[in-house]
């Protein structure tokens, strides 16, 4: 370093230490952090490139020929009215065509059998899939969690490897191993959903893990409750019924078919499109984000004003 | 003490016109004036804009933008006026000693001690009665101030509304049957007739589809049909322990992340909670309805002094 | 006109003499003296917006059916408190702006108090004769935090209700009287007999603000009586104050600052959403959301509760929930007692009984600065510990690991902060010429390849105001003769 430059060092250090010099950087940093929080899709676990597959639309097409094939075992228990899922209810289950089974078997053999075994009976690395039903498989595959990218504590949501048809084919093959068992693939008509009911049920059953805004949060042992901001109505009902990973399982005796429809409607219509009437939503993480803004932007900006007003002595 | 020290305003000569103290701080006052003027015009327009946006019921953002920018612009202009265009100074003010002289202090002390001594010491009885009376008044005033506020705890902290045979119902008063929960399912239940009651909330978990006894050693008869039931009140601070991690069989308190082991009688494994969640013994009646088979063997919720 | 009115008033009240002194009161020009004004003006905004809110808010736990304009809640059973808060957010014109501005102002209020207090601490402005004002200030900080918590609790939404539940359990944790206090305050076992919302309301809108206003008057009154401190400098001594006069210079600047503070608060109030209670829903004691945190100024208590080990003391038929009592009662008690007694601790330690009107530079008092840094390190660590779950989720870290990190950091960080600050102070003091106002140095490369360092051009204020000898504020200024006003060389005095 040239000598003359060093001569100015005392001045440089001083300038760096002056609040007036540091403050703009702090403010820019603060804005950056807030921006990160405000505009991130939810959390580190949600891949920002993930585009939700058009589950509902395709599922509707896939079932147009099978619309009458309901799975009666999914009805509410008798003391809850015994109401079966139906189109009128806004929630019904599809039976996948037999023609899907053969291509599904091929896809499974090529992509899944290494871990889950040729007959989906599981192995040391992966669980038995028999009896889980098409809905469970559809949930894991359509959210991109399966096939697993790397072995971490919890499978991460990512863009799905299979397209909608392939997903249904694999689901159909797994379902064909144990006909009638497990969770079926639901079709949810959220426009019939009761948002007020969905709100009540969500705060009672879901918010303890997924947070009240559906943003998700960290659990024990490196697991986490994922954000719900990317979930489709079908995936929501599949998750309620099958309880993927650490999530509890809610059968129709606990969350009835009507309840499940209302929750799906509340999540997709309200939580995914929150009424942020007050401005930037800050990612729905509550007072943590607000504290950052208050201290770094609010007090920070006013301190900058102080530097300007008081810069005289 | 100089004359300055008694807050009198010494007559000052009119300042000379070319006194540098009276020059504006700005090197180019005309430019500074323009800046201040523009800012204050922005402020004025912002205020008008707020009025308009209120009148037409514009969104919160419009109202904030107009009013906020108006206020900030106006304030910026006024401050710039003060900072750049008013006499730059520096001006000085002498500090005055505000404490009293020794003589004044002595006089005050003497007044207190001697006058007080004169009237109190001569009338010791009255002085004592005054102290007694005012103390009594202070103490009895505390009675209504504190005691009227609420009831005494009594034994209420040790009691819940769960009794042997209480039917478990959901928040909507719906009876819970044995087949309602799937394995890995979880539900918040209350004793019938006390739906929503805070101390009575119980978290019902179905661990297995079995008739085998479950849960901690010595408590295996407390569960039934794969069900166990724990008080939902965290033993740390009373938050509802609503977070059930099904794979690891843990109940987690969302407030301060206390972790309870569901399989081992909800003993705390991590976090600040000191005690296991109290377990409610349950059974299934002939109609398949879940009922309490007793009550909690200890107070639910966070710790307190009277707890043994 | 003014002359006559003043005469009329002065005949009756005799204000002219004191008024003139007040107008001539000198305020030192330094940015750090404006920090308290952020707090003062956010308090003004709090009062204004608070009056607005109180006209619509209904302090009642009585249950009604919500019929307002937010669809997902329509038909739900909610308390009148919650319904009216959602109502004033959606169905009262400008209501949401006022509510959010009120909440931001509260967050900024406490933040500004903290920053102002740090300034006062690190520059030694609390020393004799200003101990009273320090104590008044600490009391106002506590009241601001308490009132913030109360106000945050009023909407009766799920997140704030969880906070009230925790507050109940903290009161309950006090040995001997805890359960009695909790029962008295809440009117029974939690959630009590529905009295807590109206009680919090009257404390929030009347009792605490009244005390705060009184203390604020005392704070400012003492400031006027004892006069400002100032940093050492040319012509500045223990016996004078150098700066700008109250009227007109300071009045213009501070009035402008009032507007700017209000402007920032209202901009935040309309553009950054705070506490969207309609998303949280009505509080029920059996409902809970993950990722619930209190407002930031309560975060340090929440963090202390989180990282505390589960040490409950049981014996002789009694229980002391130390895992609650220590972090939530004893810890803040110790912190605020240190705050209260610091001026006396320090003067006892330094045996310094003199008046101090000239401020210290933080580096010149390395031990005090280091102690302050340690306290900031401690409070900062427990503050960040209140967001362990959000951090673990956001940065994809194991939750227990984050918690253990904070359990260790809460001991390590204050110690490291102390020694680091001490070392920095000493090194800064040894460095020559640091901290003196100088012109910027420009390094240029000459044609021959040599570097040359030159002082840059003087900036506004560099040589003008500072170099002048300060003078008393003149009584009046001559009218500018027209020939001079336009002439070269003499700048016109703007009045």
């Amino acid at each position: 370093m040239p000598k003359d430059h060093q001569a100015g060092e005392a001045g440089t250090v001083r300038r760096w230490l002056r609040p007036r010099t540091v403050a703009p950087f702090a403010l820019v940093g603060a804005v950056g952090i807030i921006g990160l929080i405000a505009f991130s899709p939810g959390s580190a676990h949600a891949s920002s490139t993930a585009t939700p597959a058009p589950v509902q639309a395709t599922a509707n097409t896939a079932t147009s020929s099978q619309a009458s094939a309901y799975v009666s075992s999914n009805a509410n228990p008798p003391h809850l009215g015994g109401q079966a899922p139906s189109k009128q209810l806004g929630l019904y289950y599809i039976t996948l065509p037999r023609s899907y089974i053969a291509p599904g078997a091929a896809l499974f053999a090529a992509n899944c059998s290494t871990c889950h075994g040729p007959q989906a009976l599981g192995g040391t690395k992966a669980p038995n899939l028999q009896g889980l039903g098409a809905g469970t498989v559809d949930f894991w595959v359509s959210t991109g969690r399966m096939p697993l990218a790397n072995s971490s504590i919890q499978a991460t949501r990512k863009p799905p490897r299979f397209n909608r048809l392939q997903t249904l084919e694999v689901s159909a093959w797994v379902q064909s191993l144990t006909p009638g068992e497990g969770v079926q693939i639901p079709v949810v008509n959220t426009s019939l959903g009761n948002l007020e009911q969905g709100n009540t049920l969500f705060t009672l059953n879901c918010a303890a893990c997924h947070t009240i805004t559906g943003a998700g949060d960290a659990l024990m042992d490196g697991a986490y409750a994922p954000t719900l901001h990317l979930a489709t109505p079908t995936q929501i009902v599949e998750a309620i019924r099958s309880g993927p990973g650490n999530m509890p399982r809610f059968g129709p005796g606990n969350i009835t078919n009507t309840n499940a429809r209302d929750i799906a409607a509340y999540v997709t219509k309200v939580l995914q499109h929150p009424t942020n009437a007050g401005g930037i939503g800050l990612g729905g993480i509550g007072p943590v984000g607000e504290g950052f803004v208050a201290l770094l932007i609010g007090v920070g900006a006013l301190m900058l004003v102080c530097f300007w007003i008081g810069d005289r002595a | 003490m100089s004359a300055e020290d008694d807050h009198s305003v010494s007559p000052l000569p009119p300042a000379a016109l070319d006194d540098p103290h009276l020059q504006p701080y700005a090197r180019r006052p005309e430019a500074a004036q323009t800046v201040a003027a523009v800012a204050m015009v922005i402020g004025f327009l912002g205020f008008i804009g707020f009025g308009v946006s209120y009148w037409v019921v514009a969104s919160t953002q419009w109202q904030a933008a107009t009013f906020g920018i108006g206020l900030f612009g106006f304030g910026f202009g006024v401050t710039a006026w003060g900072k750049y265009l008013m006499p730059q100074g520096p001006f000085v003010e002498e500090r005055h000693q505000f404490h009293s002289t020794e003589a004044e202090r002595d006089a005050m002390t003497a007044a207190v001690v001697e006058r007080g001594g004169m009237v109190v010491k001569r009338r010791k009885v009255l002085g004592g009665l005054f102290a007694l009376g005012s103390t009594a008044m202070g103490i009895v005033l505390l009675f209504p101030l504190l005691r009227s506020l609420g009831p005494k705890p009594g034994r209420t902290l040790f009691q819940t509304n769960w009794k042997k045979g209480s039917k478990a119902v959901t928040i909507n008063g719906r009876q819970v049957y044995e087949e309602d929960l799937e394995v890995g399912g979880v539900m918040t239940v209350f004793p019938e007739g006390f739906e929503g009651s805070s101390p009575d909330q119980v978290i019902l978990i179905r661990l297995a589809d079995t008739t085998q006894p479950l849960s901690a050693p010595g408590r295996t008869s407390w569960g039934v049909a794969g069900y166990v039931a724990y008080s939902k009140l965290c033993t740390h601070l009373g938050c509802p322990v609503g977070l059930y991690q099904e794979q690891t069989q843990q109940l987690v308190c969302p407030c301060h992340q206390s972790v309870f082991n569901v399989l081992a009688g909800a003993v705390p494994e991590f976090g600040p909670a000191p005690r296991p969640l109290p377990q409610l013994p349950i059974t299934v009646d002939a109609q398949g309805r879940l009922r309490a088979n007793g009550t909690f063997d200890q107070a639910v919720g966070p710790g307190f002094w009277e707890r043994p | 006109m003014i002359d006559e009115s003043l005469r009329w008033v002065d005949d009756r009240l005799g204000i002219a003499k004191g008024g003139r002194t007040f107008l001539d009161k000198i305020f030192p020009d330094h940015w750090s003296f404006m920090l308290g004004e952020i707090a003062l003006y956010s308090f003004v905004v709090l009062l204004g917006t608070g009056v607005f809110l109180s006209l619509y808010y209904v302090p009642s736990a009585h249950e009604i059916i919500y019929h307002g304009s937010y669809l997902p809640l329509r038909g739900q059973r909610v308390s009148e408190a919650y319904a009216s808060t959602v109502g004033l957010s959606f169905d009262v014109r400008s209501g949401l702006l006022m509510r959010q501005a009120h909440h931001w102002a509260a967050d900024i209020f406490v933040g500004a108090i903290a920053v102002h207090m740090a300034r006062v601490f690190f520059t030694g402005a609390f020393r004799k004769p200003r101990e009273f004002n320090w104590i008044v200030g600490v009391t106002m900080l506590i009241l601001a935090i308490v009132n913030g918590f109360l106000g945050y609790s009023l909407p009766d939404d799920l997140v704030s209700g969880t906070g009230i539940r925790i507050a109940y359990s903290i009161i309950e944790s006090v040995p001997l009287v805890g359960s009695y206090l909790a029962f008295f305050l809440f009117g029974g076992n939690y959630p009590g007999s529905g009295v807590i919302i109206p009680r919090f309301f009257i404390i929030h809108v009347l009792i605490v603000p009244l005390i705060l206003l009184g203390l604020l008057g005392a704070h400012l009154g003492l400031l006027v009586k004892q006069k400002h401190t100032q940093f050492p400098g040319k012509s500045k001594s223990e016996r004078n104050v150098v700066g700008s006069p109250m009227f007109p210079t300071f009045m213009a600047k501070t009035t402008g600052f009032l507007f700017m503070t209000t402007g920032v608060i209202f901009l935040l109030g309309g553009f950054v959403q705070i506490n969207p209670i309609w998303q949280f829903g009505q509080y029920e004691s059996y409902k809970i959301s993950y990722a619930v945190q209190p407002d930031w100024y309560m975060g340090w208590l929440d963090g202390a509760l989180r990282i505390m080990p589960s040490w409950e003391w049981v014996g002789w038929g009694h229980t002391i929930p130390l895992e609650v009592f220590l972090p939530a009662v004893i810890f803040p008690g110790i912190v605020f007692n240190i705050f209260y007694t610091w001026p006396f601790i320090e003067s006892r330690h330094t045996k310094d009984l003199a008046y101090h009107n000239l401020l210290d530079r933080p580096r010149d008092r390395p031990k005090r600065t280091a102690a302050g840094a340690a306290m900031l390190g401690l409070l900062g660590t427990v503050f960040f510990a209140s967001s362990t779950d959000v951090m673990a989720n956001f940065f994809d870290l194991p939750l227990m690991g984050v918690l253990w990190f904070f359990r260790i950091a809460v001991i390590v960080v204050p110690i490291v902060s102390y020694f680091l600050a001490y070392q920095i102070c000493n090194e800064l003091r040894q460095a020559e010429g640091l901290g003196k106002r100088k012109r910027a140095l420009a390094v240029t490369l000459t044609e021959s390849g040599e570097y040359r360092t030159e002082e840059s051009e003087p900036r506004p204020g560099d040589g003008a105001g500072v170099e002048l000898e300060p003078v008393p504020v003149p009584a009046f200024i001559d009218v500018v003769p027209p020939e001079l006003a336009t002439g070269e060389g003499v700048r016109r005095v703007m009045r």
Side-chain angles (χ1 to χ4, degrees):
Chain A
M1 193 183 279
K3 200 172 180 301
D4 276 347
H5 199 145
Q6 278 180 337
E9 201 164 62
T12 317
V13 173
R14 175 181 60 80
R15 276 198 302 280
W16 268 106
L17 286 173
R18 281 166 65 129
R20 205 154 39 109
T21 324
V22 180
F25 291 98
L27 196 71
V28 169
V31 171
I33 291 171
I34 305 304
L36 208 65
I37 296 171
F39 300 110
S40 73
S43 74
H45 308 302
S47 161
S48 58
T49 52
T51 40
V55 174
Q56 207 187 330
T58 335
N60 272 326
T61 338
T63 52
S64 51
S65 55
Q66 326 268 337
S68 59
Y70 304 133
V71 180
S72 58
S73 67
N74 289 305
N76 297 341
H79 63 276
L80 294 176
Q83 191 179 27
S86 71
K87 210 161 197 176
Q88 288 71 36
L89 192 69
L91 175 79
Y92 63 94
Y93 294 90
I94 56 172
T95 304
L96 296 165
R98 291 192 168 280
S99 58
Y100 282 13
I101 296 174
L107 282 166
F108 190 90
N111 294 286
C112 321
S113 61
T114 320
C115 301
H116 288 287
Q119 285 303 304
L121 283 164
T124 50
K125 285 194 282 182
N128 180 4
L129 300 181
Q130 288 205 5
L132 294 183
T136 312
V137 178
D138 180 45
F139 175 83
W140 287 93
V141 177
S142 71
T143 59
R145 292 190 166 87
M146 290 292 150
L148 206 57
N150 51 6
S151 62
S152 58
I153 288 161
Q154 187 167 336
T156 309
R157 189 183 183 108
K158 57 184 183 294
R161 170 97 64 89
F162 295 166
N163 65 27
R164 190 66 197 133
L165 180 62
Q166 291 167 325
T167 307
L168 294 177
E169 285 168 350
V170 173
S171 307
W173 183 74
V174 175
Q175 183 72 73
S176 74
L177 300 173
T178 53
E181 283 184 34
V183 178
Q184 315 300 309
I185 297 177
V187 176
V188 189
N189 184 355
T190 52
S191 61
L192 293 178
N194 179 337
L195 295 182
E196 183 270 320
Q197 272 298 311
N199 176 313
T200 308
L201 291 158
F202 184 88
T203 51
L204 179 61
N205 294 296
C206 319
C209 305
H210 291 286
T211 82
I212 196 75
T213 58
D217 206 351
L219 302 178
M220 293 302 130
D221 303 324
Y224 58 88
T227 172
L228 301 178
H229 292 160
L230 305 169
T232 66
T234 297
Q235 290 165 352
I236 291 163
V237 175
E238 283 167 351
I240 290 171
R241 291 285 183 252
S242 71
N246 267 309
M247 181 168 161
R249 211 165 281 112
F250 298 90
N254 190 350
I255 291 178
T256 64
N257 289 310
T258 327
N259 292 163
R261 173 204 69 192
D262 293 343
I263 292 174
Y266 180 71
V267 172
T268 51
K269 289 185 162 184
V270 179
L271 293 188
Q272 295 182 357
H273 305 95
T275 309
N276 285 336
I280 302 166
L282 296 176
I285 57 168
V288 176
E290 292 161 10
F292 265 105
V293 173
L295 293 180
L296 299 179
I297 306 274
V299 179
L302 290 168
M303 279 176 75
L304 282 183
V305 175
C306 286
F307 300 149
W308 170 61
I309 299 177
D311 176 31
R312 210 168 161 173
Chain B
M1 283 293 124
S2 69
E4 288 170 2
D5 283 340
D6 62 0
H7 273 243
S8 68
V9 181
S10 47
L12 297 167
L17 181 63
D18 53 355
D19 185 338
H21 292 90
L22 298 183
Q23 305 312 315
Y25 176 71
R27 315 196 106 221
R28 289 168 41 227
E30 292 75 15
Q33 182 182 343
T34 312
V35 170
V38 167
M40 286 169 77
V41 166
I42 291 173
F44 173 75
L45 294 177
F47 296 145
I48 299 294
F50 176 68
V52 171
S53 62
Y54 177 86
W55 205 250
V56 302
V57 200
S59 71
T60 302
Q61 283 68 44
W62 273 109
Q63 295 176 21
T66 48
F67 194 45
I69 292 173
L71 281 164
F72 196 88
F74 197 71
F76 187 90
V78 175
T79 305
W81 182 12
K83 178 178 158 103
Y84 294 117
L85 297 173
M86 291 183 181
Q88 62 171 349
F91 298 106
V92 68
E93 178 185 34
E94 296 304 315
R95 277 182 208 281
H96 310 286
Q97 270 193 350
F98 44 77
H99 65 71
S100 321
T101 62
E102 282 303 322
E104 286 164 338
R105 289 179 184 181
D106 290 345
M108 169 90 183
T109 318
V112 172
V113 173
E114 280 165 26
R115 265 182 236 165
M118 198 166 73
V119 296
V120 178
K121 275 184 190 158
R122 270 196 218 163
R123 302 271 180 267
K124 273 187 188 154
V125 177
L126 292 185
L129 282 174
F130 180 79
L132 187 72
S134 40
T135 311
M137 181 191 71
I139 290 170
V140 295
L141 265 183
L142 283 179
F143 294 173
L145 271 180
L146 277 176
R147 189 60 194 87
S148 298
L149 288 171
K152 285 196 283 189
R155 296 291 297 168
T156 45
L157 281 169
F158 294 93
Q159 294 155 353
T160 65
N161 293 308
W162 286 101
K163 293 177 183 62
K164 190 175 168 72
S166 294
K167 289 183 209 160
V169 297
T170 67
I171 180 63
N172 300 319
R174 202 183 88 197
Q175 175 67 54
V176 181
Y177 286 79
E178 185 189 339
E179 71 263 29
D180 277 2
L181 290 197
E182 309 223 336
V183 174
V186 61
M187 186 187 252
T188 305
V189 293
F190 300 88
E192 191 175 31
F194 298 97
E195 296 85 2
S197 154
S198 176
D200 297 332
Q201 53 185 308
V202 155
I203 191 153
L204 190 65
I205 304 171
R206 187 158 207 190
L207 297 173
D209 190 7
T210 172
T211 50
Q212 292 298 308
L214 280 167
S215 188
R219 288 199 197 168
T220 44
S221 64
W222 293 29
V224 65
Y227 281 93
V228 287
Y230 295 107
S231 164
K232 203 185 174 186
L233 286 178
C234 185
T235 54
H236 180 222
L237 286 165
C239 290
V241 187
L243 199 164
Y244 172 52
Q245 262 185 253
E246 193 256 330
Q247 275 181 335
T248 53
Q249 293 296 2
Q250 289 165 323
L251 276 168
V252 182
C253 180
C255 285
H256 301 98
Q257 288 87 43
S258 295
V259 183
F260 303 91
N261 185 335
V262 172
L263 296 181
V267 292
E269 287 184 329
F270 188 73
R275 271 171 285 112
L277 299 171
Q279 188 172 0
L280 182 72
I282 44 168
T283 185
V284 173
D285 67 12
Q287 285 80 40
R289 294 177 298 198
L290 282 164
R291 286 172 181 269
N293 197 21
T295 186
F296 294 109
D297 60 348
Q298 53 178 309
V300 298
F304 52 94
W305 173 252
E306 290 86 354
R307 195 176 205 288
Chain C
M1 233 287 275
I2 291 176
D3 185 38
E4 272 177 32
S5 323
L6 181 67
R7 253 167 224 290
W8 192 91
V9 176
D10 193 62
D11 277 347
R12 284 149 186 86
L13 300 175
I15 55 155
K17 191 173 141 188
R20 165 68 208 283
T21 315
F22 182 67
L23 292 182
D24 285 359
K25 178 177 164 47
I26 295 295
F27 289 80
D29 299 309
H30 191 272
W31 64 266
S32 69
F33 294 152
M34 308 294 288
L35 297 175
E37 282 173 45
I38 305 178
L40 176 64
Y41 296 142
S42 27
F43 186 62
V44 171
V45 176
L46 280 170
L47 289 182
T49 50
V51 167
F52 180 92
L53 298 180
S54 69
L55 300 176
Y56 303 96
Y57 174 75
V58 184
S60 159
H62 179 67
E63 274 203 353
I64 53 165
I65 304 288
Y66 177 78
H67 289 301
S69 59
Y70 183 65
L71 275 180
L73 289 177
R74 217 178 257 181
Q76 222 171 75
R77 294 190 70 82
V78 295
S79 69
E80 277 187 295
Y82 181 75
S84 60
T85 316
V86 176
L88 76 84
S89 304
F90 286 123
D91 302 322
V92 173
R93 267 208 253 181
S94 295
L96 183 58
L97 178 65
M98 293 294 175
R99 213 195 105 221
Q100 296 203 124
H102 191 73
H103 203 138
W104 281 119
D107 277 12
I108 290 174
F109 180 48
V110 188
I113 293 178
V115 178
H116 170 62
M117 185 174 161
R119 196 283 291 175
V120 169
F121 177 85
F122 285 113
T123 58
F126 55 81
R127 291 173 299 171
K128 189 179 173 186
R130 294 183 179 77
E131 298 97 330
F132 274 123
N133 232 8
W134 170 262
I135 288 170
V136 170
V138 174
T139 312
M140 285 201 286
L141 169 66
I142 296 172
L143 288 175
I145 291 175
V146 168
N147 222 29
F149 175 77
L150 295 176
Y152 171 78
S153 303
L154 288 179
D156 202 19
D157 60 288
L158 183 60
V159 178
S160 74
T162 307
I164 299 185
R165 164 78 243 197
I166 291 170
Y168 181 95
S169 305
I170 290 172
I171 298 171
E172 207 183 9
S173 78
V174 177
L176 280 171
V177 295
S179 41
Y180 283 84
L181 286 180
F183 267 64
F184 290 169
L185 183 59
F186 282 71
N189 196 3
Y190 192 81
S193 53
V195 295
I196 199 61
I197 294 275
R199 283 184 187 171
F200 274 14
F201 178 71
I202 204 65
I203 301 172
H204 177 76
V205 302
L206 181 74
I207 299 174
V208 177
L210 214 59
I211 304 174
L212 266 179
L213 269 176
L215 291 176
L216 190 62
H219 205 64
L220 298 179
L222 282 171
L223 173 86
V224 171
K225 170 133 180 121
Q226 299 180 330
K227 294 198 166 69
H228 267 280
T229 53
Q230 61 188 350
F231 282 102
K234 183 174 161 60
S235 312
K236 294 173 181 172
S237 75
E238 293 279 5
R239 300 274 296 149
N240 69 6
V241 197
V242 176
S244 304
M246 176 75 197
F247 184 80
T249 316
F250 183 76
M251 202 176 274
K253 290 203 275 192
T254 196
T255 309
F257 195 40
L258 164 65
F259 284 114
M260 283 192 276
T261 308
T262 317
V264 167
I265 289 170
F266 272 90
L267 283 173
L268 281 174
F271 285 100
V272 190
Q273 184 165 276
I274 188 162
N275 202 19
I277 51 151
W278 56 90
Q279 296 177 4
F280 302 158
Q282 165 73 36
Y283 171 68
E284 302 286 357
S285 64
Y286 53 88
K287 285 181 175 177
I288 184 75
S289 166
Y290 206 1
V292 280
Q293 267 87 12
D295 267 358
W296 78 263
Y297 42 81
M298 295 291 283
W300 58 293
L301 293 176
D302 190 58
L305 280 167
R306 279 181 191 220
I307 59 177
M308 182 73 191
S310 53
W311 297 339
E312 189 174 63
W313 183 87
V314 183
W316 298 308
H318 290 289
T319 299
I320 303 179
L322 293 176
E323 81 283 357
V324 178
F325 186 60
L326 285 187
V329 182
I330 297 294
F331 169 60
I334 290 175
V335 167
F336 285 123
N337 270 303
I338 292 176
F339 287 174
Y340 271 125
T341 52
W342 182 267
F344 312 105
I345 295 174
E346 188 184 294
S347 67
R348 167 169 287 204
H349 182 73
T350 56
K351 303 196 170 46
D352 179 2
L353 299 173
Y355 280 92
H356 290 285
N357 294 317
L358 287 179
L359 294 174
D360 292 327
R361 284 194 312 178
R363 71 189 65 161
D364 294 332
R365 294 282 179 274
K367 276 189 185 161
R368 179 204 294 147
T369 304
M375 181 57 91
L376 284 180
L378 173 68
L379 295 180
T381 309
V382 287
F383 169 65
F384 280 108
S386 75
S387 50
T388 42
D389 55 326
V390 175
M391 276 186 210
N393 190 47
F394 203 78
F395 299 110
D396 208 359
L397 296 165
L399 186 51
M400 287 190 191
V402 176
L403 213 74
W404 268 108
F405 168 80
F406 277 107
R407 281 182 174 177
I408 295 164
V410 79
I411 297 164
V412 174
V413 169
I415 297 171
V416 171
S417 310
Y418 185 92
F419 288 106
L420 206 62
Y422 193 81
Q423 192 61 26
I424 289 174
C425 286
N426 280 338
E427 287 188 10
L428 280 176
R429 278 197 317 178
Q430 283 156 13
E432 283 284 315
L434 274 183
K436 292 210 178 78
R437 190 184 178 92
K438 286 196 296 193
R439 286 178 202 155
L441 297 176
V443 182
T444 48
L445 184 64
T446 59
E447 283 179 17
S448 56
E450 280 180 290
Y451 286 99
R452 282 180 53 189
T453 310
E454 286 168 350
E455 282 202 340
S456 59
E457 287 292 299
R459 289 168 300 170
D462 262 1
V466 182
E467 307 290 334
L468 288 173
E469 202 61 46
V471 296
V473 186
F476 57 93
I477 301 167
D478 266 344
V479 176
V480 180
E483 67 275 12
L484 281 174
T486 52
E488 290 289 318
V490 177
R491 284 176 293 169
R492 189 173 173 183
V493 178
M494 304 285 182
R495 294 185 68 203

